Structure formats: structure tokens, C-alpha cells
Amino acid sequence: MHLTKCLFYLQLPKRSLLLAACAACIGGTFQYGYNISIINAPTMYVHNFINQTWRDRYQTNISEDVLTLLWSTIVSIFTLGGLIGATIGGTLSVKLGRKGTLLANNISALTAALLMGLSYPTGYFELLIIGRLLTGVNAGIGICVQPLYLGEIAPTAFRGAMGMGTSIFITGGILTGQVIGLKEILGREEYWPILLSTTCIPAFLQLLILPWFPESPRYLLIDKGDNEACKKALKQLHGVVSCDDEREDIEKEKNNLAGVQTKKPWELLMDRSVRWQLLTIILLNIAQQLNGINAIYFYAGYVFKRSGIPDDKIPYVTVGTGACECITALTCGVLIECLGRKVLISGGYALMSIFCILFTLTLTFQVFNLKTRSIFKIVITLIYSRPAAYMIAGSVNWLSFFFIGLVFPFIVIGLQQYCFLVFLAICSLVAIYIFLVVPETKNKTFLEIQTEFQSSNSRKVYNADGAGTILLSTSI
């Protein structure tokens, strides 16, 4: 029976639904992953450009400390832009709609590409800082709104698999950036301005493809009150046969929201009825950045060099790690509806705890030959379902991203080969929390998930008219 269910979930949803998801992802979380990895390849070339520009302006060489500060600013300001994007993404998704926000978001990506491309011919390295800030804003809005759009256009049976599009396109973006940055393509010194400007390509693709697909049916019916547009969108995305059932679920959710006052993010923080849901969102977003995955990327050069890999081969080994991560994300997309979200998330953090031990042993005793073994990583993405929650989740995620980028070098200096023990503790605690607190969400509507969350934590709070004040059904 279980095998039959798994085979059912392996069936593909309607083609228009898949194309809509791809169109949303290519200009959303793909950009996030792409801009994380693309900045690594031209590091030395940008250093040379800053040094030459400084010399032309001030007739003296730039100091090493100032050069390091400028370069770290170019790299890390991406996370501050992401924080800005995350804080405004939820509001924009209500004002402009999910689809409208994704389309408008491409303005920042196109502007960033133009500024970074003009930095070299104009001799202004400051344009790189502004451009990276704008790519961060683009990524922050995209990673906030795109999963919201995917979760609302997907039928209940495919919501988990569709939601994995977020992880798949993030890892695909990281891998694409690593490949494009190789010397055989755009990784040579004369091409680095073009390399940084390629962020415009996903933006153009989304602007060409996404307009052909509808707005989120849930947004059309609940937020806009447009019944006909909702029906049309469901027919295009789900087909004539299944659209009535999905519309009925949205209608139930709308009725449940009757009389419920809409909430702002700060109001959610004060609402005791959603304390456990909000705590889970915050903890999982912090864990996404503090579980060691980004640290592995930061530390890859050191690990590979300690393992005896020549410097000129390290970029290709790094591409291999990106490919492994991408394959893992694709595998999770198939397994999520068979095994359930809770099993994969808790199991993933348990496996990452084991890998943290292995990395510690590798760095301490050098007992593994990294030339002959692959590095496997579990990519965990929780698909949250409402704008206010997304704003909180996104802000926490980007703050944690900034924190790990700032603090990890000091962890390495202080703990050296034992640095991954910090991530071992984090991953272990998160796995235990998920196992004990978070309910399974497989094949359940948003309202069913909310009911189980409240029941499992004995925290049922209802309004006088019987409608629950719920996080998973709250708009701004």
C-alpha cells in the first residue's frame, strides 16, 4: 500500500503548474543561490580592480586592511540587502500579489546587473557595493515570496514536492554559478564584469515566462475577492477535474478567516495562540544558517587543501560538492510525499550531526581521502504559508546568514579542527525538537496542519464566533 502511494506521488502534476513553478523559481531562489556562488570566482580580479582604481585616484597603493574591508563589504552587503528584501516582501505580496511581486522584483536584479557591469569601465568600485546590495534585496524578496506562491498554486497532494522547488533551484543556482565561474567559461580576468552582470539573465527569463501564468488562486479569492479569476487560475493550474476540490479548500479557509482581524508581524510575536508555530519557524530558519552547510562552503578551500588537492583543482572539486547538493535536493523532492516532511527534516539534521563528527575526524586525523569520496549534504527547506510569517522567517534567516558569515572565521581560529562541534550541537538539538514538537504535514490542508499543531501542543484558542486565531491563515 505504501509503495502504491509513493508511485502515485511520482506522477507529474499538470504541465502548466510545473511551468509556472519553474518560472517563479528561475527569478526567485535560483537568483539567491546564483548570487551566493558567483562572487567567489572573481575574487582576485576584483581585488586588482580596486587596487588599480585606488592608485589612479590617490596615486598610492591601497592598504591591505582597507582592501580586505572593501572586499568583505562587497560580499557581505548581499545579506543586508536580503534582510531588507525579507522585511518588505510580505507586504509587497499583499499589495501587488504573489506573481506581481515576483515580476516587480526583477527591477532590482536588472539594475544590479547594470551597475556591476559598468563598475569596471567607469572605474567606480562603489557600484559593486550598490549592485550587491540590490542583488540581496532581490534575493530577500524572492526567497520570501516565491515559496508563498508555490505553496498556494500547488494542489494539496503535490504541495511538498512543489515546495522542494525552492531547494532545488537554490542548489541549481549555486551549481550554475560555480560552473559559469570556471576559467573555461567566464572565470578569466577580462570577463569578470560580464560574469557579475549575468544575474540579469534569470530576471529576463522570468519576465518573459511568468506573465503567461495566473496569480495565486488563494490570493485572488481571499485577498482580492475575485471568484471568477480564482476559478480560471485553478483550471489553468490544476485542470478542470480537480479545480473544484481545491477551490472548496480555499473557500473553507476563507470562511474560517471570517471575522478574524488581519495581523502584522509584530502582532504575531505577541499572539500566544501561535507561540509554538512561530517558535518552530524561527528555530528552523536559524538552524538553516547555523547547521554547518554554509560553513562547509566557507571552509571547503581549507579542507580540500589539507587533503592534498592542488589549488588549481579546488574549483572543480567545489563544483562536485554543488552537484551533490543539487542531486540531494532533487531526491528529496521525490521522497517528501512518500516519507513525509517531519521524517526528512529530523532525519536530515540527524545525518548532518553525523557528518559534523566525520568532518571533525577528517580535520583532526585526516583519515579520509577527499579526492575519492563525495560530500553529501541534506538541504532542508520549510515551506511557510503566510506573508506575516514569511517576513519574520526571512528576517531571522538573513540575520543568521549575516551572523555565520561574520562569526565563522573566529570560530575556526578559536576551535580550529573542532569547529564543526558547534554545528553538531545545533543539528542534534534541532533534530530532537522537530521529532518531539513538529507535526507531520503530508497530504494535509493548511487548516488541518493548524488543528494538529494546536492539538499536539494543547493550545487551542478560539474567537467568540468559533474561528481560530491562526498563524497559517493570516495575511497582512
Side-chain angles (χ1 to χ4, degrees):
M1 181 67 180
H2 185 69
L3 179 60
T4 303
K5 287 184 179 180
C6 287
L7 290 175
F8 169 77
Y9 290 121
L10 288 176
Q11 297 177 11
L12 293 176
K14 199 169 184 290
R15 184 175 64 177
S16 61
L17 179 62
L18 290 176
L19 292 175
C22 290
C25 291
I26 194 68
T29 50
F30 180 90
Q31 285 274 38
Y32 169 78
Y34 188 78
N35 284 294
I36 285 176
S37 63
I38 201 68
I39 195 66
N40 294 321
T43 299
M44 295 308 303
Y45 308 142
V46 175
H47 280 190
N48 295 338
F49 166 62
I50 294 174
N51 195 18
Q52 182 61 46
T53 302
W54 192 276
R55 189 182 303 114
D56 293 341
R57 289 183 186 179
Y58 306 109
Q59 288 74 51
T60 182
N61 288 327
I62 190 172
S63 69
E64 194 66 30
D65 290 340
V66 175
L67 179 61
T68 302
L69 176 62
L70 287 174
W71 172 245
S72 63
T73 301
I74 291 171
V75 175
S76 62
I77 203 169
F78 174 80
T79 62
L80 296 182
L83 177 61
I84 295 171
T87 56
I88 65 176
T91 301
L92 289 176
S93 71
V94 175
K95 299 289 186 182
L96 305 178
R98 287 47 159 159
K99 172 186 168 183
T101 301
L102 290 173
L103 290 174
N105 191 33
N106 290 298
I107 296 174
S108 58
L110 295 175
T111 305
L114 179 64
L115 293 176
M116 291 189 290
L118 290 175
S119 61
Y120 181 77
T122 59
Y124 288 101
F125 56 78
E126 293 86 354
L127 295 180
L128 292 175
I129 299 176
I130 301 172
R132 286 288 291 177
L133 177 67
L134 290 176
T135 58
V137 173
N138 174 268
I141 294 175
I143 207 169
C144 173
V145 180
Q146 178 212 292
L148 182 63
Y149 180 71
L150 294 185
E152 293 184 358
I153 67 172
T156 302
F158 290 102
R159 189 173 297 131
M162 287 283 290
M164 284 304 298
T166 298
S167 288
I168 292 170
F169 275 84
I170 286 177
T171 56
I174 291 173
L175 178 60
T176 303
Q178 291 169 340
V179 173
I180 296 295
L182 293 175
K183 289 186 178 181
E184 290 81 357
I185 304 180
L186 292 178
R188 287 183 285 182
E189 185 165 10
E190 61 268 29
Y191 294 147
W192 73 260
I194 300 175
L195 176 65
L196 295 181
S197 296
T198 53
T199 187
C200 69
I201 297 176
F204 279 126
L205 288 175
Q206 186 175 74
L207 287 172
L208 288 173
I209 302 173
L210 188 57
W212 295 95
F213 299 98
E215 179 58 86
S216 157
R218 182 198 174 276
Y219 174 79
L220 291 172
L221 184 61
I222 297 179
D223 292 84
K224 303 298 290 184
D226 194 337
N227 188 40
E228 290 301 317
C230 177
K231 287 182 180 179
K232 185 177 178 181
L234 286 171
K235 287 180 180 179
Q236 181 178 352
L237 294 170
H238 301 166
V240 178
V241 176
S242 59
C243 70
D244 290 338
D245 293 337
E246 294 296 331
R247 186 183 175 283
E248 185 178 341
D249 287 338
I250 299 175
E251 194 69 48
K252 288 179 181 178
E253 187 178 347
K254 181 181 180 181
N255 294 335
N256 188 74
L257 285 171
V260 178
Q261 187 178 3
T262 57
K263 291 184 177 294
K264 303 293 184 181
W266 52 88
E267 293 175 323
L268 288 179
L269 293 172
M270 303 299 294
D271 190 345
R272 298 183 63 182
S273 68
V274 296
R275 178 177 298 171
W276 284 100
Q277 294 94 314
L278 194 58
L279 177 62
T280 300
I281 286 173
I282 292 173
L283 287 179
L284 289 180
N285 271 273
I286 291 174
Q288 278 185 335
Q289 298 299 339
L290 304 185
N291 57 24
I293 288 179
N294 283 328
I296 290 173
Y297 273 117
F298 299 153
Y299 214 47
Y302 171 81
V303 174
F304 294 147
K305 183 174 290 188
R306 283 282 302 268
S307 303
I309 297 176
D311 290 345
D312 59 337
K313 296 296 190 297
I314 289 178
Y316 304 97
V317 180
T318 304
V319 169
T321 65
C324 288
E325 188 174 13
C326 194
I327 292 171
T328 303
L330 288 168
T331 303
C332 288
V334 175
L335 294 178
I336 190 168
E337 294 296 354
C338 300
L339 301 179
R341 286 74 153 170
K342 182 174 181 177
V343 172
L344 282 180
I345 296 177
S346 58
Y349 277 105
L351 284 174
M352 283 190 285
S353 299
I354 296 173
F355 286 132
C356 285
I357 297 173
L358 293 179
F359 270 107
T360 301
L361 293 174
T362 299
L363 295 175
T364 303
F365 303 109
Q366 300 187 43
V367 295
F368 299 104
N369 185 353
L370 293 186
K371 294 181 182 179
T372 59
R373 75 178 182 88
S374 298
I375 298 175
F376 292 95
K377 293 181 285 182
I378 302 296
V379 180
I380 308 300
T381 302
L382 178 65
I383 306 303
Y384 310 110
S385 56
R386 295 296 179 261
Y390 269 98
M391 290 179 67
I392 296 173
S395 298
V396 170
N397 195 294
W398 282 103
L399 284 172
S400 301
F401 194 176
F402 179 75
F403 174 80
I404 192 63
L406 182 68
V407 172
F408 183 70
F410 298 98
I411 295 177
V412 174
I413 293 172
L415 299 180
Q416 296 184 9
Q417 69 268 31
Y418 302 109
C419 60
F420 282 97
L421 294 180
V422 176
F423 306 118
L424 169 63
I426 294 172
C427 291
S428 300
L429 291 174
V430 172
I432 294 171
Y433 176 84
I434 294 170
F435 180 78
L436 295 177
V437 176
V438 180
E440 180 54 73
T441 61
K442 183 174 67 174
N443 294 334
K444 294 174 182 174
T445 65
F446 291 131
L447 296 180
E448 290 171 337
I449 295 168
Q450 170 65 20
T451 300
E452 184 169 347
F453 225 131
Q454 287 182 327
S455 177
S456 63
N457 293 285
S458 300
R459 294 180 181 273
K460 295 183 178 179
V461 178
Y462 290 94
N463 291 331
D465 61 356
T469 305
I470 59 176
L471 171 63
L472 293 178
S473 298
T474 302
S475 297
I476 295 179

